[in-house]
Amino acid sequence: MSQAPETGAATGGGEVLPSYTSHPDHGSYLMPAGFPVDGFISGLSYEASKNDLFVATYPKNGTTWTQHIVYLILNDGKPISAEQRLDQEFPHLEEVGREFVEKRAAVSAGFRLIKTHLPYDMTPQNSKAKYIFVIRNAKDTVVSFFHHTRGFVKHYNFADGTFDTYFRLFVEGRVDFGSYFDCVRSWLDHKDDDNILCVTYESLRSNPREGVLKIAEFLDAKVYPERLLANNEEILNKVLEHSSLKSMQQDPRRWCSERPKEHTPFIRKGNMGGWDELLTPIQIEILDSKMREICTEEEMQMLGDKY
C-alpha cells in the first residue's frame, strides 16, 4: 500500500523538504506528491507490446526534448502545435497508468509512444519493443532537477527549499524517481541490447544532426534516414528547427502545466556544464566520485568529459 505524502513544511530544524509519495511495496520508491497514487501502481502492471516505443530517462535528462524529436521524425517534421499537449500524445506511464496508455497513447507510424523515468528493472519489457534511454551528467541533472522541484509547487511544495538540502537528498537517492546513479547503471547494463538505444544528452546537444539521424536509424533504418535526407534534407531540417531550444521555449504549455512566473521556466537553458551556478567544488567531486564508482573506464569514455 502507498502512504500519503509527507508535507513540504519545515522540519524541527527549519529545513524545508520536498513533498513525495512513498510506495513501500516497491522499495519505498518516491513519486511527486502531486501525482495520482493509482497511476504508479497501474503503470507498473502495464504489459509492453512489440509496437511500443519508450523514451526512458532519469528526470531532467532531456526527456521532453527527445520525445519531441521522436514525434517530429515520425510525423515528417510537423511539431506539436500550441493546441496540443505532448503528455497526451506521449504519456508518462507511471503518472497516468496502464489504462490511459493502452487507450489514449498516440499510435504514430505504428508505434505506441510512451514516456518513463523508471529504472530498467521496473520498466515493462518486451524484446520486440524499442527503448531510447537518454543520459545526462549528474552535475547538470541535480541543478536542473532542483529548479524543477522548486518550480512545481503543487507537486512538491518546495518553493522555499535550498539547494544544499536538495543536493543531499539527490546524492542519497531520496528524491522522486529514486537514485540517479541506480537508474543510469540499470540501463547501462543493457546498452548493447538490440532493442535499446543509449544516447547521451551531451552528444545530442553537441551534434543534433548526427543524434537525430541515429534515432531515426534506430526507429527503422530502412525508412527514416532516407526520408529525413530526401529533397535536400527537407524533413531533417524541420526536425532540427522545431526541436531547437529556441523553438521549444515557445508555447511552453505544450510541455507542462502552469508554473509560477517567479520560478524558472520548464524549458530553461538546456545547456551543458552550467552546474557551477550552484555546485561547490566539494559537491562536484562527490558526484564525479559516485559516477566513477558505478561506471567502468570504458563507459566513462563513452559518456564523455562532462561525466
Side-chain angles (χ1 to χ4, degrees):
M1 178 180 294
S2 300
Q3 67 183 40
E6 300 286 338
T7 67
T11 64
E15 183 180 45
V16 175
L17 300 175
S19 296
Y20 300 121
T21 301
S22 176
H23 294 271
D25 293 344
H26 299 279
S28 296
Y29 195 81
L30 298 178
M31 291 287 288
F35 280 23
V37 172
D38 291 344
F40 176 79
I41 303 300
S42 170
L44 294 182
S45 70
Y46 176 73
E47 296 182 8
S49 73
K50 65 180 181 179
N51 297 321
D52 287 348
L53 172 57
F54 287 81
V55 167
T57 74
Y58 191 78
K60 312 312 295 178
N61 276 216
T63 322
T64 302
W65 183 34
T66 308
Q67 287 177 272
H68 198 215
I69 288 173
V70 168
Y71 182 90
L72 287 163
I73 292 172
L74 297 178
N75 289 277
D76 293 334
K78 182 181 179 181
I80 292 282
S81 71
E83 292 72 37
Q84 291 176 287
R85 283 286 301 264
L86 183 64
D87 59 6
Q88 299 296 307
E89 306 289 329
F90 216 132
H92 185 182
L93 175 63
E94 57 270 28
E95 178 182 1
V96 300
R98 173 178 181 166
E99 185 174 349
F100 186 102
V101 170
E102 289 176 340
K103 294 183 177 180
R104 297 181 61 183
V107 176
S108 187
F111 291 110
R112 175 187 282 147
L113 307 178
I114 306 170
K115 161 190 167 181
T116 186
H117 290 316
L118 295 171
Y120 177 88
D121 58 329
M122 293 178 70
T123 301
Q125 296 293 328
N126 185 302
S127 62
K128 300 297 184 182
K130 290 182 180 290
Y131 302 80
I132 300 173
F133 181 66
V134 186
I135 312 168
R136 188 183 192 185
N137 74 80
K139 300 180 283 291
D140 279 331
T141 297
V142 68
V143 170
S144 184
F145 209 177
F146 166 69
H147 286 298
H148 172 94
T149 303
R150 289 191 69 196
F152 281 106
V153 179
K154 70 176 185 178
H155 289 324
Y156 300 103
N157 195 20
F158 191 61
D160 297 321
T162 68
F163 180 72
D164 284 346
T165 293
Y166 190 81
F167 179 84
R168 173 174 55 81
L169 296 174
F170 180 88
V171 170
E172 295 171 354
R174 294 169 54 206
V175 295
D176 47 328
F177 304 100
S179 165
Y180 162 91
F181 303 98
D182 290 349
C183 182
V184 167
R185 182 66 264 168
S186 74
W187 285 96
L188 283 178
D189 285 341
H190 297 272
K191 67 181 184 300
D192 296 323
D193 292 4
D194 290 340
N195 66 331
I196 293 178
L197 175 66
C198 281
V199 180
T200 69
Y201 178 93
E202 293 77 18
S203 66
L204 195 54
R205 184 63 71 192
S206 297
N207 193 337
R209 182 182 188 279
E210 181 179 290
V212 166
L213 288 173
K214 178 184 284 189
I215 292 172
E217 183 173 6
F218 176 72
L219 296 179
D220 193 328
K222 297 179 179 178
V223 175
Y224 294 106
E226 181 178 355
R227 184 177 296 178
L228 264 61
L229 295 171
N231 299 319
N232 294 318
E233 304 186 355
E234 179 182 1
I235 294 177
L236 175 59
N237 289 329
K238 289 180 180 179
V239 173
L240 294 174
E241 175 189 353
H242 294 302
S243 63
S244 69
L245 184 64
K246 181 179 179 180
S247 177
M248 291 188 62
Q249 286 174 331
Q250 300 171 18
D251 300 315
R253 289 299 301 273
R254 295 181 292 170
W255 323 121
C256 69
S257 56
E258 200 75 48
R259 58 197 291 159
K261 292 181 179 180
E262 64 269 21
H263 290 286
T264 54
F266 181 73
I267 304 292
R268 201 169 65 96
K269 296 181 179 179
N271 61 3
M272 301 177 292
W275 55 72
D276 56 0
E277 66 173 277
L278 290 174
L279 287 171
T280 66
I282 292 175
Q283 290 172 331
I284 290 171
E285 176 53 33
I286 288 172
L287 297 177
D288 287 347
S289 177
K290 288 186 74 69
M291 282 303 295
R292 292 193 296 268
E293 287 175 7
I294 69 164
C295 292
T296 65
E297 288 187 17
E298 181 182 359
E299 287 169 340
M300 292 297 289
Q301 291 176 2
M302 177 199 76
L303 293 173
D305 60 6
K306 294 295 189 291
Y307 292 79

